[in-house]
């Protein structure tokens, strides 16, 4: 049994942002796609995330920009770096219209669950299969056989692993070495707007820098909540799971003695998630025959560049257009997808890894030099390689322009 005249049957394993984005772009390209998600309902744990211009332009191409704008907060200022001890502003970058002028889109912040709903709106209901936990893949002459925990089976011509850092599909592609414990952990919590200090409600991405720790906050959910994510020593915490609950008392203790504005914000939090940050090298490959990976399954990265969701969206757009261009040769299409995406995603992955050391300098000469260097900062320009990227340009230079198909 070969590929049908209408193209390959694609099974996407994982119904997070990357998996749903892959399904949305594939469906838009006219490809038969089904998403298999182990949860019985689509929910997104975690809290807030940044939707940078490179992600916004792809959501616009899916026809979901207005839905995003209803739920997100457009940042007026980003990279408002503050000193840990007294809250002194070391640097801030105007965003808003300036970001739009440079990159064609503004920069937004939103709840992960809201972004999941935005992307899901672009996926037809018939393409979703919930309560389907993959346990095995097997190549057969008629395609790849997928077996699920409840005993059901299905066959697909292409399997896309969008099942995160603990990927099952990745075992059938080729694993990197074991992850390394970074010694850091992250806390995430949400503070209701009515309990948060007024300065935290501004449409500003604020980053507090201090010895061995940093903390980021910004409003989300159309201003109804403040997202707080803090990074510090893991101590004996080794659990890597966004659903793991931490102790808000531990979070407050990590930032005891910091500026009053920050400790007031943490005093308003009543619970927190906590997870260990594990460091992973780039995978040696993303694709093996008819099986490929997207998002965190392909390029797990630290959150310090806030690019996890955006890179998954870029993966999804390129994957769909490669398969649409060569529907009768899906293996070649997957190889092309990896070739077009792997270098860029690896570059972002490595840049994210390098950021932690800069943010966590102890007080002293190196810290003072870093703070002084902010006078010459222009992050909106030096992050242009991220924000200005358009997969359409990459595909056009490689012999196929996705923009016409994206605006059909």
């Amino acid at each position: 049994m070969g590929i049908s005249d209408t193209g390959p049957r694609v099974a996407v394993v994982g119904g997070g942002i990357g998996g749903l984005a892959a399904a949305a772009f594939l469906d838009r390209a006219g490809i038969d796609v089904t998403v298999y998600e182990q949860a019985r309902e689509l929910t997104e744990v975690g809290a807030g995330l940044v939707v940078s211009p490179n992600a916004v332009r792809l959501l616009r191409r899916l026809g979901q920009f207005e839905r995003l704008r209803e739920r997100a907060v457009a940042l007026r200022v980003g990279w408002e770096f503050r000193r840990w001890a007294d809250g002194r502003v070391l640097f801030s970058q105007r965003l808003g219209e300036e970001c739009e002028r440079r990159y064609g889109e503004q920069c937004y912040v939103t709840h992960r669950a809201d972004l999941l709903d935005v992307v899901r709106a672009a996926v037809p209901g018939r393409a979703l299969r919930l309560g389907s936990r993959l346990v095995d893949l097997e190549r057969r002459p008629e395609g790849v056989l997928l077996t699920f925990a409840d005993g059901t089976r299905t066959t697909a011509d292409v399997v896309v692993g969008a099942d995160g850092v603990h990927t099952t599909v990745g075992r059938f592609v080729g694993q990197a070495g074991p992850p390394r414990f970074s010694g850091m952990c992250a806390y995430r919590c949400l503070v209701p707007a009515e309990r948060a200090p007024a300065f935290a409600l501004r449409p500003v991405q604020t980053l507090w820098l201090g010895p061995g720790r940093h903390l980021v906050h910004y409003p989300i959910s159309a201003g109804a909540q403040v997202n707080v994510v803090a990074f510090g020593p893991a101590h004996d915490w080794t659990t890597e799971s966004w659903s793991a609950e931490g102790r808000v008392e531990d979070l407050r203790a990590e930032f005891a003695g910091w500026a009053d504005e920050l400790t007031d914000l943490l005093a308003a939090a009543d619970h927190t998630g906590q997870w260990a940050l594990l460091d992973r090298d780039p995978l040696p490959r993303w694709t093996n025959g008819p099986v490929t990976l997207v998002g965190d399954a392909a390029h797990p990265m630290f959150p310090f560049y806030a690019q996890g969701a955006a890179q998954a969206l870029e993966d999804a757009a390129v994957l769909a257009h490669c398969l649409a261009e060569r529907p009768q040769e899906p293996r070649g299409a997957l190889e092309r997808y990896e070739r077009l995406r792997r270098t860029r995603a690896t570059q972002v992955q490595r840049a994210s890894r390098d950021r932690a050391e800069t943010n966590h300098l102890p007080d002293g000469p190196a810290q003072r030099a870093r703070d002084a260097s902010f006078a010459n900062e222009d992050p909106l320009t030096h992050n242009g390689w991220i924000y200005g990227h358009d997969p359409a340009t990459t595909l056009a230079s490689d012999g196929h322009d996705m923009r016409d198909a994206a605006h059909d």
Side-chain angles (χ1 to χ4, degrees), residues 143-186:
V144 182
L145 179 67
L146 296 89
T147 302
F148 299 95
D150 63 1
T152 60
R153 294 182 171 189
T154 192
T155 303
D157 301 307
V158 170
V159 175
V160 178
D163 48 348
V165 294
H166 302 294
T167 173
T168 297
V169 177
R171 298 203 308 263
F172 302 90
V173 172
Q175 295 280 11
R180 297 178 298 277
F181 184 43
S182 71
M184 294 182 291
C185 76

Side-chain angles (χ1 to χ4, degrees), residues 9-13 32-36 146 154 156-161:
R9 300 158 299 157
V10 179
V12 176
V13 179
D32 179 9
V33 59
T34 304
V35 178
Y36 298 93
L146 296 89
T154 192
D157 301 307
V158 170
V159 175
V160 178

Side-chain angles (χ1 to χ4, degrees), residues 37 41 48 51 74 119 124 132 141 145-146 148 157-158 177 228-229 252 264 286 326 333 343 351 358 380 382:
E37 163 58 39
E41 59 179 305
V51 189
V119 179
S132 300
L145 179 67
L146 296 89
F148 299 95
D157 301 307
V158 170
V228 178
V229 57
R252 292 173 185 152
D264 287 347
W286 297 3
R326 300 174 68 176
T343 298
T358 301
L380 202 52
H382 69 233

Side-chain angles (χ1 to χ4, degrees), residues 128-143:
L128 295 176
R129 299 286 188 276
L130 302 179
S132 300
R133 182 170 65 85
L134 181 75
V135 295
D136 193 31
L137 292 179
E138 181 183 348
R139 293 194 206 180
R140 293 191 172 185
E142 66 272 21

Side-chain angles (χ1 to χ4, degrees), residues 266-339:
L266 295 181
D270 56 15
H271 68 275
T272 184
Q274 184 177 359
W275 79 98
L277 295 181
L278 300 186
D279 190 13
R280 293 170 170 86
D281 290 327
L283 291 174
R285 62 180 179 178
W286 297 3
T287 299
N288 186 1
V291 182
T292 197
L293 305 173
V294 300
D296 286 346
H299 42 73
M301 58 185 68
F302 285 164
F304 303 138
Y305 261 76
Q307 276 293 301
Q311 293 306 302
L313 284 162
E314 290 184 14
D315 290 346
V318 173
L319 173 66
H321 283 274
C322 287
L323 283 169
E325 187 185 30
R326 300 174 68 176
Q328 299 302 313
E329 302 176 37
R331 295 191 184 201
L334 297 186
E335 290 172 359
R336 179 175 179 237
Y337 151 72
E338 178 178 339
R339 174 171 57 82

